[in-house]
Amino acid sequence: QVQLVESGGGLVQAGGSLRLSCAASGRTFSMYVMGWFRQAPGKEREFVAAIGWSGANTYYADSVKGRFTISRDNAKNTVYLQMNSLKPEDTAVYYCNAKPNWEATMSSVALPWGQGTQVTVSS
C-alpha cells in the first residue's frame, strides 16, 4: 500500500509563497489520482486540489484557484502544491491523499491520512 509523507509547511506572511511536497512510497504512485486537502482549527477537512495520473488534468477549489498550482513528478513519486499569494485564511494543516479513479473533488480517498504539514499565514 502507498504511504504518504507531507512536508514543506511553515510560517509565512500574507502575500508570500510556500511549496508543499508529498512523497509516496510504493511502485504504484503513477496509478493514483493525487489530491491536497487542508484542515483549519475547528473546521472539517476540505478539498484543495487534485491532479490526474499524467498531470494533464487538474482541479481546484474555488478558494485557491489562480493562487495554488498542483503538480506531480511520477519518477520521484512526489506531488507538489505551489501556494502563492497566501492569505491568513489559508492557515491549516495540509494533507495529501490518493484514489485510483478521477473524481474532481475527491470526495473519498483510498489511503490512511498522514501527519500533514502545518501552514501558518500571518497578517
Side-chain angles (χ1 to χ4, degrees):
Q1 188 177 23
V2 175
Q3 294 183 318
L4 306 169
V5 178
E6 302 93 344
S7 64
L11 173 63
V12 63
Q13 289 188 331
S17 298
L18 283 174
R19 188 175 84 151
L20 307 183
S21 298
C22 170
S25 64
R27 295 179 291 178
T28 59
F29 175 78
S30 61
M31 298 172 63
Y32 285 93
V33 174
M34 299 299 299
W36 283 97
F37 303 78
R38 66 186 181 186
Q39 187 167 19
K43 296 187 176 181
E44 292 188 353
R45 186 152 31 209
E46 64 176 2
F47 167 81
V48 174
I51 188 165
W53 306 278
S54 69
N57 292 331
T58 59
Y59 188 82
Y60 298 91
D62 287 343
S63 58
V64 306
K65 200 173 297 182
R67 299 187 299 122
F68 290 10
T69 302
I70 188 171
S71 62
R72 67 190 295 163
D73 184 337
N74 287 339
K76 295 182 178 180
N77 282 10
T78 302
V79 61
Y80 304 98
L81 187 68
Q82 178 66 44
M83 306 187 296
N84 298 329
S85 303
L86 282 161
K87 305 175 181 180
E89 50 264 43
D90 294 318
T91 295
V93 179
Y94 284 71
Y95 303 87
C96 62
N97 214 304
K99 64 186 301 178
N101 300 313
W102 174 259
E103 182 216 344
T105 59
M106 296 185 70
S107 60
S108 64
V109 294
L111 302 175
W113 294 101
Q115 295 295 313
T117 185
Q118 175 72 49
V119 171
T120 303
V121 184
S122 63
S123 57

